[in-house]
Amino acid sequence: MNFNKKSAIFSVFILGVLIFATSAFADIMLGSGYHSLKNSAKTTAEKLTNEVDNFSVDVIISLKVDGETLLGSTDNTKFDIANQAQETNGTNLEKGEIRETYRYSDENQSIYKNFEDGSYNVIEKQKSNNNDRQIFENPFEEERVKDAEKIMDAFVGSLEDIIQIEESGGKKMYMGNISDTEVPPLVNAVSSFALKYSIINDYTAKRLNVPYPKSNIYVIDASGKAIENEEGIIESGIFTASMSAEDSNGTEHVYTVEFSIDVKDINNTAVAAPDLNGQKVTYITEGFEFDTKYIGKYKNDIVKEENNSFVKQGERIVEITSADKDSIKGKYYEVYNEGYEPDTVRDFEFSSNYSESRYYTILNYTDSNGEKKKGVIRREGLQNISISFDVVFDEDDDGNVNGYSYSNYDGDFDTYFFRILE
């Protein structure tokens, strides 16, 4: 799926639990089914993270609009916890077109297959970054899941639980279903937010050419089932929810989300890198996108608005002067047309460190005020680049970089630079 799959799964999970946990509709003891299911989910995550050597997971997720499947994905992922390796075979469905996917990852490399020509891309990981992340991490340790758990616990504390439990042969089955007349207003409000901004946002609706759920959103029905095995691990689960919404023209549509998961082959899963002998393979160094062909000049225009017209005031220039397997070096400077010179014209050199870069190439430079700063440079298309300065990195408690923000000195700074070919 082209929308963020992890966010979509998280949204479906939260939506399902909120619907079930906040509805006064069963006559069983307050909280018993909900808390039992939550504890089982926590036990599953803990055991898969710390107590087993390997396992496989099948995940299926789909989105339907008025009964037609618009988006769908099927993934089989094998985890080798002991050797920190994983392998995923999958298919993505979008507007009737099915695409296959394959990826493999271990401590030293990530491998992706291009099914259009059968070639492979191998990303060689940096040794210094091998051990900062695990291939499978306990989701209940994530801050947003902890926050969601607190919210759900507060709901359950004041309303009855619809999750029922059946036991047979040492296994537990958790079940729940609900109709529109049993859904409280608060759940409809949460469902509306999840549908509009995570599951099918405005961008996704335009890309798929489907009606955007604009108003009057409410849950029509929802149901779910999960099975816990004798070891306390949830081995399968399925959830579906249908929501009604009106588009911008006031026409009503039905949006259906379906999600299923199966955990299997515990301590009986083998993960192996693909055999690349005789294959077309492109090798890339992690976090380092540039080689000697990127040495050269790149520029964009400095443009301001004057008297309801756009006026070119000068040019921003980036020069990459060297590039090898260890670093790139270059300089950034500005050239202004006569009469448009600012008080400070930026002009400085930059360089990168191979050991510092990972998902993107990180630049180090000293600005015009003598302050040491960082930036990020990336490839764009075939021969162009984007570059950002005055970057602040978002790091978690373990020092892992999860993203970055930048100021670029002014709001009119254009990060996209075009290669000057002579």
Side-chain angles (χ1 to χ4, degrees):
M1 281 185 168
N2 286 331
F3 65 87
N4 188 305
K5 191 178 298 183
K6 185 175 181 180
S7 294
I9 292 173
F10 176 77
S11 298
V12 171
F13 168 74
I14 296 301
L15 176 62
V17 176
L18 281 175
I19 289 173
F20 291 148
T22 64
S23 302
F25 133 74
D27 57 2
I28 60 178
M29 183 179 298
L30 172 65
S32 61
Y34 165 75
H35 287 294
S36 181
L37 177 58
K38 186 184 75 171
N39 289 335
S40 179
K42 285 187 170 184
T43 298
T44 299
E46 176 66 23
K47 289 191 174 184
L48 294 182
T49 305
N50 298 312
E51 298 183 18
V52 304
D53 290 334
N54 52 69
F55 62 94
S56 297
V57 178
D58 290 335
V59 174
I60 301 174
I61 185 170
S62 68
L63 171 67
K64 298 179 180 179
V65 180
D66 296 329
E68 180 182 0
T69 301
L70 275 302
L71 287 173
S73 68
T74 301
D75 283 337
N76 168 255
T77 302
K78 300 177 180 179
F79 294 94
D80 186 340
I81 304 299
N83 296 305
Q84 288 295 292
Q86 72 177 84
E87 183 181 25
T88 300
N89 285 281
T91 59
N92 291 333
L93 168 68
E94 182 172 327
K95 293 191 294 187
E97 182 179 354
I98 297 177
R99 294 184 178 181
E100 294 181 84
T101 61
Y102 174 84
R103 58 188 180 274
Y104 168 87
S105 180
D106 59 30
E107 293 180 316
N108 301 312
Q109 62 184 344
S110 294
I111 302 174
Y112 301 87
K113 183 176 182 179
N114 182 351
F115 280 87
E116 292 184 0
D117 61 7
S119 64
Y120 290 85
N121 288 326
V122 178
I123 301 176
E124 299 172 328
K125 296 183 179 180
Q126 297 186 35
K127 298 297 182 182
S128 60
N129 289 323
N130 278 354
N131 299 316
D132 60 350
R133 284 186 183 273
Q134 302 298 308
I135 62 164
F136 184 79
E137 297 181 330
N138 191 337
F140 287 96
E141 296 300 322
E142 295 186 17
E143 286 301 318
R144 63 175 179 172
V145 176
K146 291 180 180 179
D147 291 340
E149 180 185 349
K150 293 176 183 177
I151 295 172
M152 291 185 288
D153 286 346
F155 288 149
V156 171
S158 59
L159 295 172
E160 288 188 328
D161 186 351
I162 69 164
I163 300 176
Q164 303 179 55
I165 308 173
E166 293 183 0
E167 294 191 43
S168 176
K171 294 187 176 183
K172 291 183 180 179
M173 180 184 295
Y174 301 89
M175 298 173 295
N177 57 78
I178 192 171
S179 64
D180 57 345
T181 60
E182 297 155 339
V183 179
L186 180 59
V187 171
N188 278 324
V190 174
S191 302
S192 174
F193 185 87
L195 181 64
K196 290 176 66 174
Y197 298 110
S198 181
I199 297 175
I200 180 166
N201 55 29
D202 185 54
Y203 170 78
T204 302
K206 289 179 180 178
R207 191 181 81 243
L208 298 177
N209 193 29
V210 298
Y212 175 64
K214 187 175 181 63
S215 60
N216 196 24
I217 301 174
Y218 64 91
V219 176
I220 300 174
D221 56 57
S223 62
K225 180 175 71 173
I227 297 177
E228 173 188 324
N229 66 17
E230 298 87 341
E231 286 74 38
I233 294 176
I234 296 178
E235 62 183 16
S236 66
I238 186 170
F239 171 74
T240 180
S242 294
M243 288 160 278
S244 174
E246 294 180 0
D247 61 21
S248 57
N249 297 319
T251 303
E252 183 179 6
H253 302 276
V254 176
Y255 301 81
T256 302
V257 177
E258 297 176 341
F259 169 77
S260 69
I261 183 169
D262 288 286
V263 180
K264 60 184 183 180
D265 298 330
I266 296 175
N267 291 328
N268 195 31
T269 294
V271 180
D275 183 1
L276 300 181
N277 289 326
Q279 304 293 333
K280 179 182 178 182
V281 182
T282 301
Y283 290 92
I284 305 168
T285 301
E286 180 185 52
F288 218 74
E289 305 175 274
F290 299 92
D291 56 25
T292 55
K293 66 176 173 288
Y294 288 93
I295 294 175
K297 286 187 177 182
Y298 303 78
K299 75 172 185 176
N300 64 40
D301 293 334
I302 301 173
V303 178
K304 300 291 184 180
E305 184 179 352
E306 293 182 4
N307 301 320
N308 201 35
S309 297
F310 295 111
V311 177
K312 178 179 176 179
Q313 297 185 342
E315 294 179 344
R316 303 180 186 91
I317 309 289
V318 171
E319 287 189 30
I320 296 178
T321 55
S322 68
D324 55 36
K325 66 178 182 179
D326 295 320
S327 68
I328 64 169
K329 295 180 180 179
K331 58 183 177 179
Y332 169 83
Y333 57 95
E334 298 167 349
V335 178
Y336 284 87
N337 298 334
E338 185 176 355
Y340 290 104
E341 299 90 344
D343 294 335
T344 301
V345 178
R346 290 184 283 270
D347 185 343
F348 52 80
E349 297 182 346
F350 59 79
S351 63
S352 67
N353 294 323
Y354 171 73
S355 61
E356 188 177 26
S357 300
R358 183 170 182 180
Y359 301 113
Y360 25 72
T361 302
I362 298 175
L363 303 177
N364 296 280
Y365 67 96
T366 302
D367 67 10
S368 303
N369 298 320
E371 295 184 40
K372 294 187 180 298
K373 301 274 189 171
K374 291 187 181 294
V376 168
I377 186 171
R378 311 184 76 145
R379 297 188 310 189
E380 296 289 348
L382 180 62
Q383 78 280 1
N384 301 318
I385 64 171
S386 66
I387 192 166
S388 300
F389 296 116
D390 203 11
V391 168
V392 176
F393 293 97
D394 177 22
E395 296 184 353
D396 61 22
D397 295 337
D398 297 322
N400 300 311
V401 175
N402 297 317
Y404 62 89
S405 59
Y406 55 88
S407 66
N408 283 331
Y409 306 110
D410 62 71
D412 297 323
F413 187 93
D414 187 354
T415 62
Y416 198 100
F417 285 75
F418 294 89
R419 176 70 178 268
I420 301 174
L421 298 174
E422 299 175 352

